[in-house]
Amino acid sequence: MKSSGEKISMITAYDYSFAKIFDAAGIDIILVGDSASNVMAGHETTLPITLDQMIYHAQSVVRGAERCFIVVDMPFGSYQSDSKNALASAIKIMKETGGHSVKFEGGEEVIDAVKKIVSAGIPVMGHLGLTPQSIYKFGTYTVRAKEEAEAAKLKRDALLLQEAGAFAIVLEKIPAALAKEVSESLVIPTIGIGAGGSCDGQVLVMHDLLGINTAFKPRFLRQYLNLNEPITNAVKQYISDVKSKDFPNEQEQY
């Protein structure tokens, strides 16, 4: 798709029902993101979600999708300690979920893990720029790699990931010009989120795209629906109908 100039569409999903809808709509890739920690479990960061919890979400997504490619995030603590632990985590994900690949954050510091996992036959997607699992190191969710030194490291890390065997790289919240330069320097595709239109594909969190989560409104987000409002109204109407004894009516009972 990169070589032909066709952009790659990617969206997150965490359960069977939405995976089924997104797959039928024609999405190219579903990411079972560790953002489940935020949007499904209500945590402030992605750090608390466990490997087993990620596997549960991925199993549900795999059961709902028939045709699209599925990437499963490796959660914080499942790959950072050493490449042996990373491989064990990746194997567990692949064996227990039926997913097609794994994704994890970092550059030079995780290259040994990338090589080891790829050598075991497991496709790896990289993730550079704003890496939410490192939020306490950064201290903020602001744009990354605006300074020359960090930008140079990101460019170097992208090439290292490609050389190590990664099949694609997510670029999150970095300057569009830098994302363009990185994308053009690589043979493998880049997937952008807040990284401009020159990436080879784009990814958004489903709760943001669909307007389920209305509090999160960064510049890079295009909200395609406002589901929060009609869902709220529907539930209010249901409550009212129950209270007024309008539901169920004679046609809605046996």
Side-chain angles (χ1 to χ4, degrees), residues 167-233:
F167 72 88
I169 302 173
V170 168
L171 298 177
E172 180 168 0
K173 215 167 182 185
I174 64 172
L178 175 60
K180 183 177 189 292
E181 185 180 350
V182 171
S183 299
E184 291 174 350
S185 74
L186 299 174
V187 176
I188 62 174
T190 59
I191 307 292
I193 177 165
S198 296
C199 293
D200 302 299
Q202 299 292 328
V203 60
L204 285 175
V205 172
M206 57 160 283
H207 291 72
D208 303 334
L209 181 155
L210 296 175
I212 298 170
N213 172 18
T214 56
F216 183 65
K217 293 184 177 178
R219 183 192 302 184
F220 66 79
L221 171 63
R222 182 179 296 180
Q223 186 179 302
Y224 286 83
L225 274 178
N226 178 13
L227 279 183
N228 187 287
E229 186 176 331
I231 290 172
T232 300
N233 291 339

Side-chain angles (χ1 to χ4, degrees), residues 62 138 197 201:
V62 168
F138 295 146

